[in-house]
Each structure stands twice: as C-alpha cells, then as structure tokens.
C-alpha cells in the first residue's frame, strides 16, 4: 500500500472523521436542538434496559408481566441481578422519568464496562488481522448514531451479544482447542441472550466442522433451557413463545426491517394495503441471504448476509440491531480491497455508522429522522448489491455445471 493511496479503508475512516467533527459542531451550533429530530421519543431513554429489570422483579412471573418480556431466561438472570442492586419499586415500566439518580448511575457504569469490552474485542480482532488502529475505529464507532442514539439510548442487550460474537469470530480462527471451544461458548451465550445469534452455527456447517456444530447446539440448548428453572419452568417457556408470537404479529412502520419499510412505503405512497408483500420480500431476501452466505467469496460479504438476517429480516427488529453489522465492517476494513465497487461499499458503511444529526423540516416531514433514512438506505443498498452478486454467482455456477 502506497503511503498516500486512497484505499476504501482510508476513505471510510476519513469520511467518518469529517462527519463526526461536523456532527459535534452541529450539536454545539444548535445547542443540542438537532437531537430532537434524532430522538423522536426522548422520554423512553434506557427503557430497553430498565423495563426488563422491572419485568423480572418476580422471577417466576417474568414472562407474564408484559409481552415485551421476550428475552431468553439467561438474559433475565443478569437483569435479576441488577434488580437486586436497586431499591424495590424504583423502576416503573415505560417510565424513564421515574428513574433515580442511582439507577442512572448504575446504567452508566454498565455501559462503561461494555465500552471497555467492546474496545477490547475490536482490538483483539484487528490485531489478529495485523491491524493496529483499533482505538481510532472504536472511537469512531462509539460516537456513531447507531451506538449513541440506539444502542446506548435504548439500553438493549444487542451490544452484549455483538461483543460476544466478535470475540467468538476471532477465537474460532485460532489453532488451539481451548480458544475454539471458548468461541462456541461465546456464540451460545450470545444466542442465550438474544436468540438470533444462533444462526452463527451455520458457519460451522458451511466449513463442515460438524462436531463443533454439534457441541454448539448442545451448549445453546443448555444456556437456553436450563435457566427456565428459575423463570417459570415449562409455563414460562410457553409464555415466552406467546410473547414472541405477539411481537411478530404486530404491524410496524419504519425503516428498521423489510416488513416495516414496506408498510411505511405502502401507507405513505402506494396505498395498496398489502402487508403480505412485505412478508414475501422478507422471506425472499432471507433465502437469498442464506445462499449468499454459502457461495459468496469474500468473508465480509458472507458475514454481512449472515448478520443481515438478524437486522432486517425479523418482523420485530429494533434499530439497535445494526450494531451487529460492525462484524462485517471490521472484516471489510481488514480485507485490502481495491476494486471500484469497494469504494462504494466504504461510503455505504459510512452511511450506517457515521455521527449524523443534520435534518431539515422538509425532509423530516417526508421521511422522519434523516439519519435513520441514511442508515437504512445504506444497509439496504449493500444488501441489494450482495443479492445481485449472489444471483449472478448462482447463475454462473448453474451454467458451469451444465457445461
């Protein structure tokens, strides 16, 4: 690499720094008023964390309190521990105004610990790839709109799962047995917290590492089912499934998944009143993403397709799930790409992770918060480009077999 050569990786970092600096300037210039466009429901801060602390006040009844109590019981073991650190009845569901200064302090300490673990995961991953700019990348990602205005603001456990997955992907590439076994445990723990990371077992099937895949399934079953002993047993398990069914049956509007995006476009512009089209598009993308994960050559592309199954496919998908796409981003930045399309991918990754707080009333009235539009337009654009590449590769493979 030439000293002053503009690579996709350097382009990503440069634009992130420029937009981050402008974002900080704009926050100062507007005296924070611009944040009102980004946080459309500012009164809900941290409640993805404290609501679950509220649900688990009575462990055996956690899944009956509210249908949003939908996490696996392993996650509620942690939330129960947090509940023991707070005075009784100090957390009220969906009411952030009731939080005491002590509760907020506890949440701050929790996020500081996660920030350190996130940095450590990024550092170890980049060092395993021969890179040494982990501090800069972690800082840039930590002030991104995804991190600040969704992950921290919501307080969702997606960051915990993301940290575990990132560590697992680094450990599974080591040669020693203990590191590879620890990678299996980390994936199982991530699935035991957020369920969706269980799809990372596909990596072992693709690589024909069947024994490890079997142990991963065993660990996953242990981490998923054993904690139900403390959270309602069979009745708690059935109620959790009912809660999941309730969440996925609701009609959502927005940009955070394919179904919700279709619903929004249909309601505002098309007026077809056909949510079934969103379901068809969702399942069609899921199938193509699975194929792409299997046949695409670049590791970051395969992992993007895999992670996108946790981001834009579930009918109930929070905006914080974009944090999972840090995984393919880091693989992309370590890939040494030089193709023209890679510069496009670099810019689209910027769109996902930049610190974006600029809005205009006209744009906001049409699309809502512009940062959300930029973020998900970038996600869908990469997804669409990789779908095209997957279809092209599939056609070439079929043609080669016929010959």
């Amino acid at each position: 690499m030439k000293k002053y050569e503009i690579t996709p990786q350097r382009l990503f970092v440069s634009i992130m720094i420029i937009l981050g600096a402008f974002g900080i300037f704009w926050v100062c210039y507007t005296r924070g008023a611009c944040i009102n466009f980004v946080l459309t429901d500012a009164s809900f801060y941290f409640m993805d964390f404290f609501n679950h602390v509220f649900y688990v006040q009575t462990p055996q009844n956690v899944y009956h309190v509210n249908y949003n109590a939908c996490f696996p019981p392993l996650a509620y073991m942690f939330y129960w521990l947090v509940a023991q650190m707070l005075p009784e009845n100090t957390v009220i569901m969906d009411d952030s105004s009731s939080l005491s200064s002590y509760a907020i302090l506890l949440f701050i300490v929790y996020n500081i610990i996660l920030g350190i673990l996130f940095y450590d995961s990024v550092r170890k991953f980049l060092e395993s790839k021969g890179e040494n700019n982990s501090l800069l990348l972690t800082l840039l990602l930590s002030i991104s709109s995804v991190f600040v205005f969704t992950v921290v603001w919501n307080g969702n456990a997606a960051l915990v799962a993301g940290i575990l997955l990132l560590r697992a992907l680094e450990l599974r590439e080591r040669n020693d047995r203990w590191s590879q076994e620890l990678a299996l445990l980390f994936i199982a723990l991530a699935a035991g917290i957020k369920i969706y990371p269980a799809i990372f077992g596909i990596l072992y099937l693709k690589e024909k590492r069947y024994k490890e895949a079997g142990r991963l399934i065993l660990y996953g079953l242990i981490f998923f089912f054993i904690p139900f002993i403390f959270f309602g047993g069979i009745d708690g398990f059935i109620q959790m499934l009912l809660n999941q069914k309730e969440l996925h049956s609701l009609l959502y509007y927005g940009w955070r998944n394919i179904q919700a995006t279709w619903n929004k476009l249909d309601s505002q512009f098309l007026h077809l009143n056909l949510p079934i089209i969103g379901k068809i598009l969702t399942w069609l993308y899921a199938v193509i993403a699975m194929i792409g994960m299997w046949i695409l050559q670049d590791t970051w592309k395969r992992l993007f397709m895999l992670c996108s199954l946790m981001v834009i496919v579930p009918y109930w998908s929070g905006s914080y799930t974009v944090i999972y796409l840090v995984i393919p981003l880091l693989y992309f930045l370590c890939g040494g790409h030089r193709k023209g399309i890679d510069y496009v991918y670099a810019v689209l990754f910027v769109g996902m992770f930049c610190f974006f707080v600029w809005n205009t009333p006209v744009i906001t009235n049409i699309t809502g918060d512009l940062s959300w539009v930029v973020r998900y337009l970038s996600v869908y654009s990469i997804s669409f480009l990789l779908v095209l590449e997957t279809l092209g590769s599939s056609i070439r493979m079929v043609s080669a077999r016929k010959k």
Side-chain angles (χ1 to χ4, degrees), residues 34 40 49-50 55 73 81 98 125 188 220 236 243 268 358 372:
C34 61
T40 53
F49 179 85
F50 286 107
Y55 301 150
L81 179 63
S98 68
F125 175 85
N243 292 349
Q268 287 195 340
W358 183 81
W372 277 56

Side-chain angles (χ1 to χ4, degrees), residues 247-248 250 252 257 259-260 278-280 282-283 313-317:
L247 280 170
H248 285 78
L250 300 176
Y252 301 101
N257 59 60
Q259 178 69 62
K279 293 182 179 180
I280 293 172
T282 297
W283 285 103
V313 167
Y315 296 153
W316 168 247
S317 176

Side-chain angles (χ1 to χ4, degrees), residues 18-32 34 355 357:
I18 292 170
L19 290 179
F22 176 78
I24 294 172
F25 162 76
W26 197 248
V27 171
C28 296
Y29 178 76
T30 63
R31 302 297 293 271
C34 61
F355 184 59
V357 292

Side-chain angles (χ1 to χ4, degrees), residues 280-314:
I280 293 172
L281 292 173
T282 297
W283 285 103
L284 181 61
Y285 176 79
V287 170
I288 296 175
M290 288 291 291
I291 296 172
M293 185 269 153
W294 210 266
I295 68 174
L296 291 176
Q297 296 301 309
D298 291 329
T299 302
W300 82 262
K301 293 178 181 178
R302 295 200 301 269
L303 286 171
F304 186 96
M305 297 302 259
L306 186 63
C307 290
S308 70
L309 294 172
M310 301 187 292
V311 178
I312 59 175
V313 167

Side-chain angles (χ1 to χ4, degrees), residues 34-292:
C34 61
I35 304 300
N36 293 329
F37 292 102
V38 181
L39 298 180
T40 53
D41 184 11
S43 63
F44 194 74
Y45 58 86
F46 310 155
M47 293 314 292
D48 263 9
F49 179 85
F50 286 107
N51 271 350
H52 293 282
V53 174
F54 174 83
Y55 301 150
V56 80
Q57 297 289 333
T58 305
Q60 291 291 325
N61 199 43
V62 59
Y63 292 109
H64 292 274
V65 176
N66 188 280
Y67 65 83
N68 284 294
C70 57
F71 290 172
L74 185 65
Y76 286 111
M77 295 183 74
F78 167 73
Y79 289 118
W80 177 85
L81 179 63
V82 174
Q84 307 315 299
M85 299 180 188
L86 293 169
E88 195 172 358
N89 300 321
T90 58
V91 176
I92 301 174
M93 184 174 64
D94 293 338
D95 184 6
S96 55
S97 64
S98 68
L99 296 176
S100 67
S101 57
Y102 169 52
I104 294 176
L105 178 62
L106 187 65
F107 182 76
I108 291 172
V109 172
Y110 163 74
N111 276 278
I112 290 173
I113 294 172
L114 288 187
I116 294 170
L117 293 175
F118 179 64
Y119 166 70
D120 189 58
S121 297
V122 172
R123 179 181 62 83
K124 289 181 177 177
F125 175 85
L126 292 178
E127 286 179 352
S128 72
K129 302 296 182 182
E131 301 286 343
N132 58 4
N133 55 348
S134 54
L135 180 58
L136 175 61
L137 279 175
T138 305
L139 287 173
L140 292 175
L141 293 172
S142 297
I143 64 167
S144 66
S145 294
V146 170
F147 197 93
V148 176
F149 300 127
T150 61
V151 173
V152 175
W153 176 76
N154 281 276
N156 192 273
L159 179 59
V160 179
I163 291 170
L164 289 169
L165 290 174
L166 190 55
R167 289 292 292 121
L169 289 172
E170 184 266 321
L171 288 167
R172 71 189 293 273
E173 295 179 2
R174 297 185 184 181
N175 294 323
D176 63 287
R177 171 70 182 275
W178 290 109
S179 294
Q180 294 178 3
E181 205 67 24
L182 190 58
L184 296 176
L185 289 171
F186 280 174
I187 295 173
L189 283 170
I193 294 170
K194 291 294 290 182
I195 299 180
Y196 298 148
I199 64 173
F200 271 70
I202 296 172
L203 293 175
Y204 291 91
L205 296 177
K206 183 183 184 303
E207 297 169 0
K208 298 182 181 180
R209 297 162 65 172
Y210 300 123
K211 291 183 179 180
E212 289 173 271
R215 294 200 301 277
L216 178 59
I217 292 173
L218 177 62
Y219 294 149
L221 291 175
I222 291 173
F223 288 145
F224 184 82
F225 284 107
I226 296 301
F228 273 110
I229 295 173
F230 309 104
F231 299 100
I234 296 176
D235 179 63
F237 171 68
I238 294 173
Q239 187 60 46
M240 190 201 78
L241 295 180
L242 293 174
N243 292 349
Q244 286 282 347
K245 181 180 179 181
E246 176 73 14
L247 280 170
H248 285 78
S249 66
L250 300 176
L251 205 59
Y252 301 101
Y253 299 86
W255 309 109
R256 59 192 181 183
N257 59 60
I258 296 172
Q259 178 69 62
T261 300
W262 167 258
N263 293 340
K264 186 174 182 66
L265 293 174
D266 189 20
S267 64
Q268 287 195 340
F269 304 108
L270 303 176
H271 308 296
L272 298 176
N273 194 27
L274 290 173
I276 186 65
I277 294 179
K279 293 182 179 180
I280 293 172
L281 292 173
T282 297
W283 285 103
L284 181 61
Y285 176 79
V287 170
I288 296 175
M290 288 291 291
I291 296 172

